[in-house]
Amino acid sequence: MNEIFVGIDLGTTNTLACYLRRGRPNFIRFAGSGEMLPSVLYVDEEKNIFVGEKAKKRGVIDPLNVIRSSKTYMADFDKTWTVHGKTFTPTKVASEILQEVKRQIIKKLHCADDDTINAVITVPAYFTANQKDETKKAGIAAGFNVLQIITEPMAAAVAVVHELGLDEKIFVVDLGGGTFDISVLQADQKNRTYRALDIDGDRKLGGDDFDALIYDYFIGIIQSETGLDLSTQKKSTLDYNEYYSMTGRVREAAEDAKIALSEQENYTADLMNLFQHDGKNYDFTVNLTREKFNEICQPLYEKVTSRINKFIAESDKFKLDEIGTVILAGGSCHIPKVKSDVENIFGKRTDTQLDLGTLVAVGACFVAETFSGVKTDIEQPQEKFEDIISHSLGVEVLASDGVSKVLSKIIRKGDVYPCQKTKLYTTTMDEQTTIPIYIYEAGSDCENIADIDAHEFYGDLSLEIEETAPAGVPVINVTFSYDKSGTLEVTARDEKSGVNKSIKIKKGSRDSENY
Ligand code: ADP
Ligand code: MG
């Protein structure tokens, strides 16, 4: 029985798996797509499931039966997709993608049935504990022994530190297909410790937005050349296959143009026989310069830079001049203006030796290797990864106006795992016998909003008071403890009677386990 150790970057757009051979990272290759497996799932009429390049290709012409970017819905328990009669949750899609990864690992590394495939899987830094949990479940369902879930910027930093040997504050900018993640980490070479300091990002900003702007630009040209309204199939007067094959090909051309313009100043999109118009084939040809591309995408560049500038200005965990190295990760950081905008903010060059698209998987595989028990250097201590809480957690309380309900934070964004915090509360009504405690997690981009409705309900417990008292008299001690695995324990205690009530909440299931 062999033990295999892999790092998996389960991306919104692409998934990569990496393992070490003689100390060097090696990638698992996937049919038709090289080392990047498109995180796309397609189901055909016979209910066969396809994952990867084949699924992506089929989805271009049959977009109603394809699932893409499912990671953006991870742990959204109301979200499902039904394609050709088969229903998938976001976790199930992730597990199908991971199963494909596992099949290729078994093939490439000639694994036997009883071999254990150990995996470190990465997630965005802003993922809630819920989302981390679902990712882990997907890994287990796919048949991996999931060693650890680590954040993508942490993995990117590990890869860079291994390569360049850094001992400083590192700023990671990760612009992928659908998400934008920025974070600051401290690498400490001597103690082999990586510590997350602060994170931010935009969950809805990525390469897809660039594609969408170029797609709109191309469609605009086609509409003016043909006089058709192509905004919906109905209005277009084209039939289903013709319309969706047209939109699929234009979307592909938009992404091809974007990628080509990262290398060259000019690109010509040439789509022959796009559809039938006026009894003839309509051919679409357009030339796009990098200058025009940048002009169209200007609002996105502004979003990227303003988010970074705001983060730098508002974070109390680091200062701009303390940043030693800036790392670019994610496919969309290949866009020259994204790169130069970031370099201008920091006044320094970003490293170009490392491959932006693969850093996260490489780092994850170095982390996985630390579990193998094989010490490459006896003198070196084991590497440590210290993560931070990405969303504040607290309880619902009555605001001073006596009417509105607000979030009172107990554990704060940026606190280091594991942690324990206590706050004191009291009653709002005379002779209250039951004190309900509603637990909330701060919604993304809502850290500074007090209104409870902006936040995500997490769970509740209620404490019975034995000796009642006027409002404001009882002292209720509420303690939140968060362990490394993502389990939150909430304890409420009536100071007078000493009555305790605890719940352990494993995020992801509303059925909190009382004990
Ligand atoms: P994710 O982490 O979301 O899975 P990736 O880091 O793999 O995503 O990035 C995918 C995105 O990067 C896609 O939008 C893709 O079009 C874009 N991309 C890949 N290569 C390039 C390039 N050379 N120039 C511009 N964009 C690129
Ligand atoms: Mg990524």
Side-chain angles (χ1 to χ4, degrees):
M1 191 184 106
N2 286 315
E3 296 259 356
I4 287 147
F5 295 87
V6 293
I8 302 174
D9 170 8
L10 180 62
T12 312
T13 325
N14 295 302
T15 296
L16 288 93
C18 187
Y19 63 99
L20 285 189
R21 193 169 60 201
R22 294 191 208 101
R24 295 303 306 159
N26 263 271
F27 293 95
I28 299 293
R29 297 185 70 79
F30 301 95
S33 53
E35 58 201 30
M36 288 197 182
L37 177 75
S39 307
V40 180
L41 186 148
Y42 176 81
V43 180
D44 70 10
E45 276 171 30
E46 283 82 49
K47 299 196 180 353
N48 297 307
I49 299 174
F50 298 89
V51 170
E53 196 57 35
K54 214 172 197 173
K56 191 177 170 185
K57 285 229 161 74
R58 294 202 176 194
V60 170
I61 45 173
D62 185 12
L64 299 185
N65 292 301
V66 74
I67 306 173
R68 4 169 61 240
S69 302
S70 61
K71 182 173 153 183
T72 41
Y73 297 95
M74 202 62 164
D76 175 345
F77 299 107
D78 300 322
K79 178 73 187 173
T80 55
W81 295 264
T82 300
V83 279
H84 275 140
K86 263 188 184 288
T87 299
F88 295 85
T89 61
T91 310
K92 177 82 177 126
V93 178
S95 129
E96 290 289 345
I97 294 166
L98 289 169
Q99 273 179 49
E100 175 62 19
V101 171
K102 191 174 164 231
R103 275 194 288 274
Q104 295 311 318
I105 292 172
I106 290 172
K107 218 157 119 187
K108 167 116 187 193
L109 303 179
H110 308 292
C111 300
D113 287 347
D114 59 350
D115 287 351
T116 307
I117 307 179
N118 300 288
V120 166
I121 305 175
T122 60
V123 293
Y126 57 74
F127 253 27
T128 60
N130 232 349
Q131 294 172 305
K132 289 182 184 168
D133 233 40
E134 290 303 302
T135 305
K136 187 171 180 181
K137 273 190 206 161
I140 294 169
F144 286 102
N145 177 36
V146 181
L147 299 168
Q148 201 176 349
I149 299 291
I150 66 160
T151 65
E152 289 160 10
M154 182 75 86
V158 170
V160 174
V161 171
H162 269 254
E163 207 62 36
L164 308 175
L166 306 174
D167 202 358
E168 56 195 11
K169 284 198 174 74
I170 301 173
F171 195 100
V172 185
V173 175
D174 184 347
L175 187 61
T179 55
F180 178 48
D181 213 341
I182 43 183
S183 34
V184 180
L185 301 106
Q186 175 77 53
D188 173 353
Q189 271 277 56
K190 190 164 145 272
N191 298 309
R192 311 250 291 163
T193 304
Y194 302 84
R195 173 173 225 199
L197 297 177
D198 207 353
I199 58 159
D200 195 42
D202 185 335
R203 292 181 188 198
K204 294 201 162 60
L205 178 63
D208 294 348
D209 299 298
F210 288 82
D211 300 347
L213 289 182
I214 301 306
Y215 171 86
D216 288 346
Y217 174 67
F218 285 173
I219 289 287
I221 297 172
I222 301 169
Q223 291 189 141
S224 65
E225 285 182 359
T226 59
L228 296 175
D229 178 349
L230 299 173
S231 55
T232 62
Q233 188 215 329
K234 237 188 191 146
K235 288 183 185 162
S236 73
T237 68
L238 304 178
D239 68 23
Y240 178 92
N241 287 336
E242 210 170 26
Y243 180 78
Y244 285 109
S245 151
M246 180 277 294
T247 55
R249 287 180 66 197
V250 174
R251 217 174 289 282
E252 240 184 356
E255 188 181 6
D256 289 348
K258 172 189 75 176
I259 291 175
L261 290 171
S262 290
E263 296 295 325
Q264 59 206 52
E265 291 288 337
N266 250 296
Y267 180 77
T268 302
D270 227 344
L271 301 178
M272 306 306 278
N273 305 334
L274 196 54
F275 51 83
Q276 287 284 315
H277 179 59
D278 277 349
K280 316 194 276 283
N281 282 328
Y282 170 72
D283 300 332
F284 174 59
T285 306
V286 64
N287 183 266
L288 188 64
T289 62
R290 189 186 282 172
E291 201 183 340
K292 182 72 188 168
F293 173 84
N294 285 346
E295 186 192 312
I296 297 167
C297 299
Q298 187 54 32
L300 302 176
Y301 296 130
E302 261 156 35
K303 274 192 173 178
V304 169
T305 51
S306 64
R307 193 88 202 196
I308 297 176
N309 283 324
K310 186 165 173 276
F311 179 49
I312 295 169
E314 290 178 1
S315 176
D316 54 2
K317 302 289 184 346
F318 73 99
K319 291 198 178 58
L320 179 62
D321 58 8
E322 291 172 348
I323 301 295
T325 295
V326 181
I327 302 174
L328 299 181
S332 302
C333 279
H334 283 291
I335 298 173
K337 188 155 161 55
V338 169
K339 185 169 181 301
S340 61
D341 280 353
V342 172
E343 291 181 342
N344 285 338
I345 291 174
F346 291 93
K348 53 173 84 219
R349 309 277 304 180
T350 50
D351 194 276
T352 48
Q353 301 163 36
L354 302 162
D355 182 358
L356 305 178
T358 59
L359 276 184
V360 171
V362 169
C365 111
F366 282 125
V367 177
E369 197 60 25
T370 63
F371 286 86
S372 71
V374 181
K375 278 209 164 169
T376 41
D377 185 345
I378 311 279
E379 296 298 312
Q380 294 265 32
Q382 183 76 279
E383 285 178 310
K384 278 209 306 258
F385 310 97
E386 293 178 6
D387 229 332
I388 51 174
I389 309 280
S390 50
H391 303 265
S392 297
L393 287 137
V395 295
E396 178 188 293
V397 295
L398 205 57
S400 49
D401 64 6
V403 186
S404 40
K405 289 177 174 153
V406 293
L407 175 68
S408 163
K409 292 178 183 173
I410 298 182
I411 286 180
R412 289 181 171 268
K413 176 183 171 186
D415 288 346
V416 178
Y417 283 102
C419 60
Q420 179 169 333
K421 295 268 176 81
T422 300
K423 252 188 167 175
L424 302 179
Y425 295 93
T426 189
T427 49
T428 52
M429 283 183 291
D430 290 336
E431 311 306 316
Q432 218 173 308
T433 53
T434 304
I435 302 180
I437 294 169
Y438 298 108
I439 303 152
Y440 279 81
E441 180 169 38
S444 52
D445 295 329
C446 299
E447 279 289 339
N448 299 322
I449 299 177
D451 183 4
I452 203 72
D453 292 333
H455 306 290
E456 223 177 277
F457 179 72
Y458 194 100
D460 63 344
L461 80 162
S462 72
L463 184 69
E464 305 296 328
I465 303 190
E466 286 184 353
E467 245 177 84
T468 56
V473 171
V475 177
I476 309 298
N477 219 312
V478 179
T479 302
F480 277 33
S481 353
Y482 225 134
D483 72 11
K484 239 188 149 117
S485 76
T487 306
L488 174 71
E489 187 172 336
V490 178
T491 311
R493 182 184 152 87
D494 172 15
E495 281 304 294
K496 190 152 187 211
S497 64
V499 170
N500 255 318
K501 183 84 181 275
S502 304
I503 52 165
K504 222 177 203 173
I505 303 173
K506 192 75 186 170
K507 282 209 64 181
S509 48
R510 283 281 151 85
D511 47 334
S512 20
E513 166 199 340
N514 281 284
Y515 67 98

